[in-house]
Amino acid sequence: MLQIDLDRSSPVPLYFQVAQVFEKAIMDGVLKPGERFENELALADRLNLSRPTTRRAIQELVDKGLLVRKRGVGTQVVQAPVHRPVELTSLYDDLARAGQEPATRVLDYAVGPVADDVAAQLNLAAGTEVVTVRRLRFSGGQPLALMTNHLPVNLAPEREELERSGLYQALRSRGVHIRLARQRIGAKSADRDEAKLLDEKPKAPLLVMERTAFDDSGRAVEYGSHVYRASRYYFDTTLVDR
Amino acid sequence: MLQIDLDRSSPVPLYFQVAQVFEKAIMDGVLKPGERFENELALADRLNLSRPTTRRAIQELVDKGLLVRKRGVGTQVVQAPVHRPVELTSLYDDLARAGQEPATRVLDYAVGPVADDVAAQLNLAAGTEVVTVRRLRFSGGQPLALMTNHLPVNLAPEREELERSGLYQALRSRGVHIRLARQRIGAKSADRDEAKLLDEKPKAPLLVMERTAFDDSGRAVEYGSHVYRASRYYFDTTLVDR
DNA sequence: AAGTGGTCTAGACCACGCA
DNA sequence: GCGTGGTCTAGACCACTTA
């Protein structure tokens, strides 16, 4: 039986505190794959929490793909080695967290009227001025990705800022909080330019991601079209049927 | 102001009925991108629903990436043309829904001891017997994907079943309900075999998806490694930061 | 100060799966 | 029938944003 200490004076929500303890327990193998999970009522009673609060904590873990519930039966830990789920972060954050020492070279930084396809993605009027940036991202000293981004001029970070930090971090420091992103993931062959920059052979396979990001007022803030070396990158996702 | 009729005798949850009406309104453009959304209290009052129920309906749409909320400010419709989000379905379902008349050719169907990497994914003991299936999926008369799946023998559908329907559908009819999948998406070049089967040139770019699927008791049910023609397929995903 | 969303409670009734 | 999760109510207090 897992010991859980709650801090009711903390600003961290109770359901989140509970979820975190269980998440760690599952990740650390304290709760074993396939094991029966404490039922909602008993857990609520044990923690002196209301059932909805307890339920929400459990639901967090179901949404993360760590638990599975079956009506009339119970809740169980999913049987699998877990990887980190995809989150709404930039590649820079991903790499920094993995200790990969990312570095960025800004190849181009231009201001000009928006292209039609980009205007559609960003929901901008034709002819609006946007900043277009092309960056080469390295990790472990090797090129990893070629990234092209388009942003409204009033939001775009300076060129120097983009060398130092990730795009999303730069936007955050300007008070822009990315809350939502729609992505399309595909594949293509490297053209000569891409191959040269990424240190691959022409026609090498590349992973393509196009992304439109929205801030917390629902405004389209950024459209990016990125190519990754297939030999060095992939995306993990977890899908839950509710 | 959107007219909403609720059926309290329906087995469909109230929060779901509400969410559906608003989802349709947003998709149809009745609620316009960027528009202010009715606040929670007022909506609950108008619909004669409790606030938690109303809140849950709204939260569904936030999770789907249609609405964005900001504390102290309000709720707004996201500014963007929406695409269909990724759901937990198989390629067969996807294509059938899109009216693409999918067809399947089963290339191989073999029973044998599990390979080590597959055993790890499915959480099986070394040497357990599994069914390995290789299928070629067509849409619109053209090859689209080459799919390799591994399943415990007691769960595997018959060969004939796989020609007729999708894998997940066949599993459903055996009482196996897929609830969770972990996927890894990458890219590679077609080898000679793949190129021939998919009607592409050798070294053509392919989208690779590896997936482990789990049923509603958390058991690993299926591991698949699939390659798609990059010219004909991609994945859409929506990420929400909560 | 007013209005918004975020969290939490203490119950209730129902639907489902299983013994 | 019993235990499980799924839904729903009618409130409460708090945190944050904007005016």
Side-chain angles (χ1 to χ4, degrees):
Chain A
M1 180 87 52
L2 202 60
Q3 167 76 22
I4 298 180
D5 295 317
L6 296 176
D7 178 0
R8 297 192 92 102
S9 69
S10 160
V12 177
L14 293 171
Y15 74 85
F16 195 81
Q17 294 184 38
V18 175
Q20 271 192 323
V21 171
F22 281 114
E23 178 168 359
K24 184 169 189 313
I26 294 171
M27 293 299 196
D28 293 351
V30 177
L31 293 180
K32 304 220 165 25
E35 190 171 320
R36 181 70 174 275
F37 194 80
E38 285 179 79
N39 80 65
E40 203 165 291
L41 278 338
L43 187 59
D45 201 51
R46 183 162 83 86
L47 301 179
N48 286 311
L49 289 174
S50 70
R51 188 176 162 204
T53 300
T54 308
R55 181 176 180 76
R56 172 138 189 206
I58 296 175
Q59 193 59 46
E60 291 275 314
L61 302 179
V62 172
D63 291 344
K64 281 192 177 172
L66 297 175
L67 295 178
V68 173
R69 317 194 81 179
K70 199 165 21 168
R71 192 194 187 101
V73 179
T75 304
Q76 286 174 286
V77 180
V78 170
Q79 301 197 26
V82 247
H83 359 122
R84 185 177 59 79
V86 171
E87 284 161 11
L88 190 50
T89 55
S90 64
L91 176 58
Y92 190 93
D93 296 341
D94 289 352
L95 295 172
R97 205 180 310 126
Q100 289 283 312
E101 298 173 39
T104 310
R105 182 169 6 130
V106 177
L107 302 175
D108 300 299
Y109 188 102
V111 182
V114 65
D116 287 352
D117 58 331
V118 176
Q121 290 292 332
L122 292 180
N123 209 15
L124 295 175
T128 309
E129 298 266 297
V130 293
V131 170
T132 298
V133 186
R134 234 170 40 124
R135 294 171 298 161
L136 193 56
R137 175 62 46 84
F138 297 80
S139 89
Q142 296 296 312
L144 176 66
L146 178 61
M147 307 181 289
T148 305
N149 294 89
H150 308 270
L151 306 92
V153 278
N154 58 320
L155 299 178
E158 301 298 320
R159 180 172 184 140
E160 293 69 33
E161 240 175 312
L162 292 172
E163 299 261 3
R164 278 201 316 277
S165 68
L167 173 59
Y168 282 19
Q169 191 180 323
L171 286 171
R172 261 197 302 278
S173 70
R174 297 183 148 238
V176 177
H177 298 270
I178 303 295
R179 280 288 288 279
L180 180 67
R182 300 224 176 93
Q183 305 186 154
R184 177 162 293 184
I185 300 170
K188 65 168 294 216
S189 288
D191 62 27
R192 200 177 309 151
D193 186 38
E194 291 163 339
K196 188 167 181 186
L197 288 166
L198 291 171
D199 196 19
E200 291 272 359
K201 291 176 185 157
K203 300 195 179 173
L206 300 178
L207 197 55
V208 179
M209 182 193 55
E210 293 179 46
R211 165 158 67 184
T212 306
F214 303 84
D215 72 0
D216 47 17
S217 63
R219 184 179 46 160
V221 160
E222 178 256 333
Y223 171 70
S225 178
H226 306 158
V227 296
Y228 304 84
R229 298 172 71 177
S231 52
R232 300 198 60 207
Y233 206 69
Y234 49 81
F235 293 95
D236 281 327
T237 55
T238 297
L239 302 181
V240 180
D241 190 12
R242 289 185 302 159
Chain B
M1 179 87 53
L2 202 59
Q3 168 76 21
I4 299 181
D5 296 317
L6 296 176
D7 179 359
R8 296 192 92 102
S9 68
S10 160
V12 177
L14 294 170
Y15 74 85
F16 195 82
Q17 294 184 37
V18 175
Q20 272 193 321
V21 171
F22 280 115
E23 178 168 359
K24 185 170 189 314
I26 294 171
M27 293 298 195
D28 292 351
V30 177
L31 293 180
K32 304 217 165 25
E35 190 171 318
R36 180 70 173 275
F37 194 80
E38 285 179 80
N39 81 65
E40 203 165 289
L41 278 338
L43 186 58
D45 201 50
R46 183 162 84 83
L47 301 179
N48 287 311
L49 289 175
S50 70
R51 188 177 164 204
T53 300
T54 308
R55 181 178 180 75
R56 170 137 191 207
I58 297 174
Q59 194 59 47
E60 290 276 314
L61 302 179
V62 172
D63 291 344
K64 281 191 177 173
L66 297 175
L67 295 178
V68 172
R69 316 194 81 178
K70 200 166 17 169
R71 190 194 187 102
V73 179
T75 304
Q76 286 174 287
V77 180
V78 169
Q79 301 196 25
V82 246
H83 358 122
R84 185 176 60 79
V86 171
E87 284 159 13
L88 189 50
T89 55
S90 65
L91 176 58
Y92 190 94
D93 296 342
D94 288 352
L95 295 172
R97 204 181 309 126
Q100 289 282 311
E101 297 172 41
T104 309
R105 182 169 5 129
V106 177
L107 302 175
D108 300 299
Y109 188 102
V111 182
V114 65
D116 287 352
D117 58 331
V118 176
Q121 290 292 331
L122 293 179
N123 209 16
L124 295 174
T128 309
E129 297 265 297
V130 294
V131 170
T132 299
V133 186
R134 234 170 41 124
R135 295 171 296 161
L136 193 57
R137 175 63 47 83
F138 297 80
S139 89
Q142 297 296 312
L144 177 65
L146 177 62
M147 307 181 290
T148 305
N149 295 89
H150 309 269
L151 306 91
V153 279
N154 58 319
L155 299 177
E158 300 297 319
R159 181 173 184 140
E160 294 67 35
E161 240 175 313
L162 292 172
E163 299 262 1
R164 278 201 316 277
S165 67
L167 173 59
Y168 282 19
Q169 192 180 324
L171 285 171
R172 263 196 301 278
S173 70
R174 297 183 147 238
V176 177
H177 298 269
I178 303 295
R179 281 288 288 280
L180 179 69
R182 299 224 177 93
Q183 306 186 154
R184 175 162 294 183
I185 300 171
K188 65 168 293 216
S189 288
D191 62 27
R192 199 177 311 152
D193 186 38
E194 291 163 339
K196 187 167 181 184
L197 289 165
L198 292 171
D199 196 19
E200 292 272 359
K201 291 176 185 159
K203 300 196 180 175
L206 300 178
L207 197 56
V208 179
M209 183 192 56
E210 293 179 45
R211 165 158 68 185
T212 307
F214 302 84
D215 72 359
D216 47 17
S217 62
R219 183 179 46 161
V221 160
E222 178 255 334
Y223 171 70
S225 178
H226 306 157
V227 296
Y228 304 85
R229 298 171 71 178
S231 52
R232 299 198 62 207
Y233 205 70
Y234 49 80
F235 293 94
D236 281 328
T237 54
T238 296
L239 302 181
V240 180
D241 189 12
R242 287 186 303 161

